[in-house]
Amino acid sequence: MEAQEHKYEVVANWVKENISNGRFQRGSKLPSENVLSEQFGLSRQTIRHAIDILEQENLITRMKGSGTYIGEGAKSGRSRRYFNIAVISTYTDSYIFPPILRGIENVLSKNGYMMQIAFTGNEIFREKQILQQLLEKDNIDGLIVEATKSALPNPNLHFYRELMKRRIPILFFNSSYQELGLPRVALDDFSAGRKAVEYLVKAGHKKIGGLFKCDDGQGPLRYAGFVKGMEEAGLKLKSRNIIWTETESTIDMENWMDYLMNRLEDCTALVCYNDEVAYTFLQICQKRGIEIPGQLSVISIDNSNLAVLSDVQITSFPHPLEDLGRKTAENMVKMIDNPYYDGSYLFDSQVIERDSVRFLTEQIAPLSTTGGKAVERE
């Protein structure tokens, strides 16, 4: 009996220690009984006994059909005090952002909330200023936020942790800071990158390059999907054919186009990070006499207005846009009512076919950086 008690106490004390050192935050989901059983080499009955003790001490809460969470009182929910939700976005009036913000505002207003909106311009310092102001005023029930340069180290995470300590629910959209372990509503970026490669492979392409953003968390996810797609197709991934850019560099793409085309000279197709990148790329190709899709097929992600503005309309995987905004707001309202609700959600996407991808019946000649028409090999 004593040995049995010692075993469950090991588990209970491990949970308490992780709560004490901050690894387990209030609202964090405890690993499942199966995971804990395997981790400690104990029976599920022993694990369940430890969880019973922790629940009796009001250190955890069991939620039927959801799991076990750190903290007590999940069922009572968080009361609404200010009916005010802060929304932080990187941009406001361009690309995919207006419909996202419109979707958020529509749902929040229907649920009686005011939307307090601010924009970072994708600048870390501006994000810092906004978060400091939110903490000083302390008048919000929740925070909806798009991470700033989310693939890079961020010096502002302690502000988010302070908001978490104040039990203010935080929900990211599009991109997030993985270090915080907070929920995110977004397009399934990994799946979109993978499907883009699958589509090109079905079109007969084998030499496929990629152009991704390195400062945005969506970039590595879309690249990871790209890699998986290449692997599943049995295609060789050449590092030379992968180009990484940053948000500001897209504006200056003309200045490094020679370098880019040199890296892609043996490719017949290119996966672009998004429509903004693809549109800029196509405009420069047009100036240089490089035929799309005659010499190089291009596929993109987001299906924004830019996908249909160029002379060659871009095949693209749609971003959920207003639907994403609505879902984000709906999940935030649920998180306020129940702080243990997991607000995470990923949208699937199916390709919208246009004119930028060429279906190959025979292998075409590699891309030439000097222009001219591609020649099919017999």
Side-chain angles (χ1 to χ4, degrees), residues 22 51 97 229 268 342 350 362:
I51 291 175
F97 295 98
T268 64
D342 184 359
Q350 303 301 324
E362 300 177 10

Side-chain angles (χ1 to χ4, degrees), residues 296-333:
L296 185 69
S297 291
V298 174
I299 192 168
S300 183
I301 297 170
D302 282 346
N303 193 41
S304 68
N305 291 336
L306 291 176
V308 296
L309 287 182
S310 60
D311 290 343
V312 177
Q313 296 189 356
I314 303 168
T315 295
S316 186
F317 285 84
H319 186 286
L321 299 175
E322 193 163 344
D323 285 343
L324 183 141
R326 284 194 291 266
K327 185 65 175 178
T328 302
E330 289 168 359
N331 285 7
M332 171 51 67
V333 172

Side-chain angles (χ1 to χ4, degrees), residues 136-267:
E136 289 171 4
K137 292 181 179 179
D138 193 24
N139 64 349
I140 60 172
D141 294 304
L143 171 61
I144 294 172
V145 56
E146 182 188 33
T148 297
K149 297 187 184 300
S150 52
L152 303 178
N154 187 289
N156 298 327
L157 298 187
H158 63 286
F159 294 118
Y160 289 101
R161 293 192 175 100
E162 177 59 31
L163 289 166
M164 293 164 66
K165 287 181 181 178
R166 298 185 188 184
R167 297 181 60 191
I168 295 174
I170 302 172
L171 179 58
F172 285 91
F173 69 96
N174 282 341
S175 60
S176 66
Y177 304 118
Q178 294 186 3
E179 302 95 319
L180 296 176
L182 292 172
R184 175 178 72 113
V185 177
L187 172 69
D188 190 336
D189 297 298
F190 177 90
S191 177
R194 182 181 185 179
K195 287 182 176 181
V197 173
E198 290 175 353
Y199 183 85
L200 292 173
V201 171
K202 288 179 181 178
H205 295 276
K206 296 182 180 180
K207 297 179 179 180
I208 304 171
L211 178 55
F212 300 99
K213 282 189 181 180
C214 62
D215 58 344
D216 188 329
Q218 295 162 282
L221 287 173
R222 293 175 183 183
Y223 168 71
F226 174 95
V227 172
K228 186 64 175 178
M230 295 288 283
E231 178 183 299
E232 290 175 340
L235 298 178
K236 183 178 180 181
L237 180 67
K238 298 177 67 174
S239 298
R240 174 181 175 78
N241 298 147
I242 305 299
I243 300 98
W244 292 95
T245 182
E246 57 183 9
T247 302
E248 287 77 10
S249 296
T250 302
I251 302 172
D252 303 320
M253 191 182 295
E254 176 73 59
N255 295 332
W256 52 280
M257 193 67 172
D258 289 338
Y259 164 80
L260 194 157
M261 299 307 291
N262 184 54
R263 295 281 295 267
L264 298 174
E265 64 181 355
D266 60 341
C267 294

Side-chain angles (χ1 to χ4, degrees), residues 2-60:
E2 291 181 357
Q4 180 72 5
E5 289 178 348
H6 175 72
K7 289 178 181 178
Y8 79 72
E9 286 176 351
V10 169
V11 179
N13 288 335
W14 175 80
V15 174
K16 291 177 184 179
E17 181 181 348
N18 279 285
I19 293 175
S20 177
N21 64 27
R23 181 183 174 191
F24 288 166
Q25 298 285 332
R26 180 179 175 84
S28 298
K29 190 172 184 179
L30 197 67
S32 68
E33 291 181 4
N34 286 336
V35 171
L36 290 174
S37 177
E38 183 176 345
Q39 178 178 336
F40 287 95
L42 300 173
S43 67
R44 287 188 62 183
Q45 182 178 359
T46 302
I47 299 299
R48 197 171 295 120
H49 190 186
I51 291 175
D52 288 339
I53 298 300
L54 292 166
E55 187 172 34
Q56 291 171 19
E57 296 178 5
N58 292 325
L59 292 174
I60 63 170

